[in-house]
Amino acid sequence: MAKDKKFVEDITPMGEDFAQWYTDVVKKAELMRYSSVKGCMMILPAGYAIWENIQKNLDAMFKKTGVENVYMPMFIPESLLDKEKDHVEGFAPECAWVTQGGLEKLEERLVVRPTSETLFCDLYSNIVQSYRDLPKVYNQWCSVVRWEKTTRPFLRSSEFLWQEGHTAHATAEEAQERTIQMLNVYYEFCKDYLAIPLIKGQKTDKEKFAGAEATYTIEALMHDGKALQSGTSHNFGDGFAKAFGIQFTDKDNKLSYVHQTSWGLSTRTIGAIIMVHGDDSGLVLPPRIAPVQVMVIPVAQHKEGVLEKAAEITDMLAKAGLAVKMDDSDKSPGWKFSEQEIRGIPVRIEIGPKDIEAGKAVVVRRDTREKIEVALDELAARVPEILETMQNDMYERAKKHLEEHTYSAKDYDEFKDIIENKPGFVKAMWCGDLDCELKIKEDTTATSRCIPFEQEQISDKCVCCGKPAKSMVYWGKAY
Amino acid sequence: MAKDKKFVEDITPMGEDFAQWYTDVVKKAELMRYSSVKGCMMILPAGYAIWENIQKNLDAMFKKTGVENVYMPMFIPESLLDKEKDHVEGFAPECAWVTQGGLEKLEERLVVRPTSETLFCDLYSNIVQSYRDLPKVYNQWCSVVRWEKTTRPFLRSSEFLWQEGHTAHATAEEAQERTIQMLNVYYEFCKDYLAIPLIKGQKTDKEKFAGAEATYTIEALMHDGKALQSGTSHNFGDGFAKAFGIQFTDKDNKLSYVHQTSWGLSTRTIGAIIMVHGDDSGLVLPPRIAPVQVMVIPVAQHKEGVLEKAAEITDMLAKAGLAVKMDDSDKSPGWKFSEQEIRGIPVRIEIGPKDIEAGKAVVVRRDTREKIEVALDELAARVPEILETMQNDMYERAKKHLEEHTYSAKDYDEFKDIIENKPGFVKAMWCGDLDCELKIKEDTTATSRCIPFEQEQISDKCVCCGKPAKSMVYWGKAY
């Protein structure tokens, strides 16, 4: 098997070829590799550590809202998948099928879970009897499989990691509340930890989840002006409950169907981090999600006292609660700097003989390249502040980018012109008809991203057909 | 679908039917349920929370030794599995096969991973070039599938959760060191967190892992005197490296094969916790692994001030860093007590009007039922002490059980008599021949559990054939 060359080449500039830039960054930051199985990723330590931090922080937010984690089987019998008509139609074409177990052909084919609504419904139909058993607010962290023809690292792959929450409630109101509550959790998580601003809204019927009554989404804008659906929350009403017979005795001793929700966020989010914050030197990780926040890099480390001082700083910052590492390998400082930059480590601390003599170190921000001289005895206090400032600046910068790349279109010519020439979101009115949605997609390749909660009255006519408008929609090309 | 009845029946006494006791406990503590897929478990919140605590603590121990987490695909192409002869022979008979992806029949069948040696080897063959790239110390937390005919909750199921570490090293010595290091991590983890004493040793060739040079194991003794293999660590030598072409340039610019290890611990461990510590009232969880350590149960909660005081205690203990919950449901105190007992929550705190008047609460240990009166203002200091004492007592009790159920046999009659009449481990000498191992299994159903690191000279002859003995072996019936 051919050995890979070490990546010493430059990263393709973003402005030259965004797709190639993305692939270069993913590869050179050593986040993942493709495996021998078509379309399946191997997530390497630098990539998986980001996912671990996402899991840890998002899971803590879930648990504050009463979520309990479980683990469901990865296989779904075909007959179980078949129970809800829309759902099976949506997923069957992209399922992986197990047909043989051990040495025997299976009597019934099994689907490797593309999502687990049917399993949770099967469980709930067995364990929910009374209103006292409600709500059930379960979640699982797992991998799912959707047989994709074309794949891109983190954005689209045949297997990916995610969490899927599945809840059952006594009333429609409570289910709707939970649907929006979890959308808000995603929104806050992306804002606070990933420094990613989002548009919150509802999906059109065409774009909603197979089997859902309503799907809500958070949509992010990538650096190239394309949208990325970053998390979804679905209200199922009692559709699945009726298909699976999930009934309970309510307080008046009457038999009712439960109302259900589901919500998921996946390793796609890592793609969003890369494409929202990355630059021509590589990855830029928001400090609050970075597995390594600070890299201490000794300069002229062969000189007396340098390595000792670098180690001392590393220890001190670790004690201050930061995720810090020291690079004392035998590479040159310049090489170490560029590795730290490619990997998106938020700040590096340069410390050499002259710095030690002057009682200071140089802190370099990854996002702005700003060099900040900090007295050695102030590092433990200042570095966390610098990281916090960087986190906030990254969010503000991304927000500005989102705002500057969000346009309004009153008529179809303007709409088409924007889609063709100005990458970003287009706000435009819509009559609510599928035909207009399909026509817009055919004419421009743009899709409806969401009907945002914050509505504006751009005009009173549908941007496509000119009939009376029902709502304002965010449109855009999407990953 | 038939609704389950709530579990109000008693748990079958352990002495009457151990297997039924185990099933009852698993069911009534609501740890898991079987799913619609034969042999696959749904792990419910009470069970999964134990696994989360195992993950959290064991993962922290891994990381201290330099382990990095990754995620590998769940599918293995048949040709990749085929590369190492012993390995494929060991696993092929119990594989689940994916033969269709989307609407198309696959050109090559995919195995749902039963274990991931082959994938890690494939990765290492691509990313290891120089001694500078070594060691690689990767691990993943995932589920694996082994198509089992007979299944038991947590102990044997077609899909189970585990971690699998896979490492590559420059020298045989380093690989051997890592193999033993990780076995010791398992040993310490089980001792310190699960309060489970273990026998450490090497597996015989018959019992070793498919493709390994040597397999090491930790063996625990269940309450019924049966052994449970609770974790294994394998040294692969350079066998897999040769099959997969994993070579590196060493310091002298010579091409060498890497030496590899792998090691795994699974949800079986939850079965071990149940069968080592449980009693006729249900589960007994070691405090350091219990998702809920303390249940505060108000008595006569309708009386003024009781619920408030119970909530105050709950808050106070949460602030002291304990995992504490209050049961303020409308069930009777007696019902709440027995639920807390079934679920194995280490201590409960009973607080009623008389206690409040006397300025105290009653702390009840789950393991001994000991009732300890504690002044309210001493609870935050005393409860952690009580939990710590309980943790240590549980270990000592299990150790005593292990010692009292470990026997020595000098000759075959004695051996057979012990196996038949005294459930537990039997220490006996072995000549090293497979034939004796097979004969012992056929005659008694006992298997060699391990060749312990701590050897004793029981006699100088093989207990089975009477030829000169090579080593002392632990034998026993096993799960």
Side-chain angles (χ1 to χ4, degrees), chain A residues 3 36-37 43 52 63 69-71 73-75 93 95 97 99-100 102 104 122 128 143 149 159 247, chain B residues 3 36-37 43 52 63 69-71 73-75 93 95 97-100 102 104 122 128 143 149 159 247:
Chain A
K3 300 277 179 179
S36 305
V37 187
I43 307 182
E52 284 184 302
K63 283 179 176 155
N69 286 336
V70 299
Y71 184 77
M74 70 154 84
F75 299 129
C95 283
W97 296 94
T99 57
Q100 185 167 344
E104 285 158 30
D122 192 32
V128 172
S143 79
K149 295 254 170 193
E159 182 189 8
Q247 285 181 292
Chain B
K3 302 274 179 177
S36 304
V37 187
I43 307 181
E52 284 184 302
K63 284 181 177 154
N69 285 337
V70 299
Y71 184 77
M74 70 155 83
F75 299 128
C95 284
W97 296 93
V98 175
T99 56
Q100 185 167 344
E104 285 156 31
D122 192 32
V128 173
S143 79
K149 297 255 172 195
E159 181 189 8
Q247 284 180 294

Side-chain angles (χ1 to χ4, degrees), chain B residues 34-52:
Chain B
Y34 278 115
S35 75
S36 304
V37 187
K38 198 178 156 294
C40 286
M41 293 190 291
M42 303 189 279
I43 307 181
L44 298 178
Y48 196 78
I50 298 172
W51 184 240
E52 284 184 302

Side-chain angles (χ1 to χ4, degrees), chain A residues 356-400:
Chain A
I356 296 172
E357 217 177 285
K360 63 162 184 68
V362 181
V363 180
V364 186
R365 270 174 66 163
R366 172 63 184 84
D367 60 337
T368 56
R369 312 299 174 94
E370 189 190 351
K371 295 187 169 211
I372 306 160
E373 293 201 345
V374 178
L376 291 176
D377 58 3
E378 286 174 12
L379 275 173
R382 284 284 288 133
V383 174
E385 285 172 13
I386 292 168
L387 289 170
E388 205 51 24
T389 306
M390 177 172 162
Q391 177 86 26
N392 294 333
D393 289 355
M394 286 177 75
Y395 179 74
E396 291 305 329
R397 210 176 300 128
K399 193 154 168 266
K400 192 158 167 262

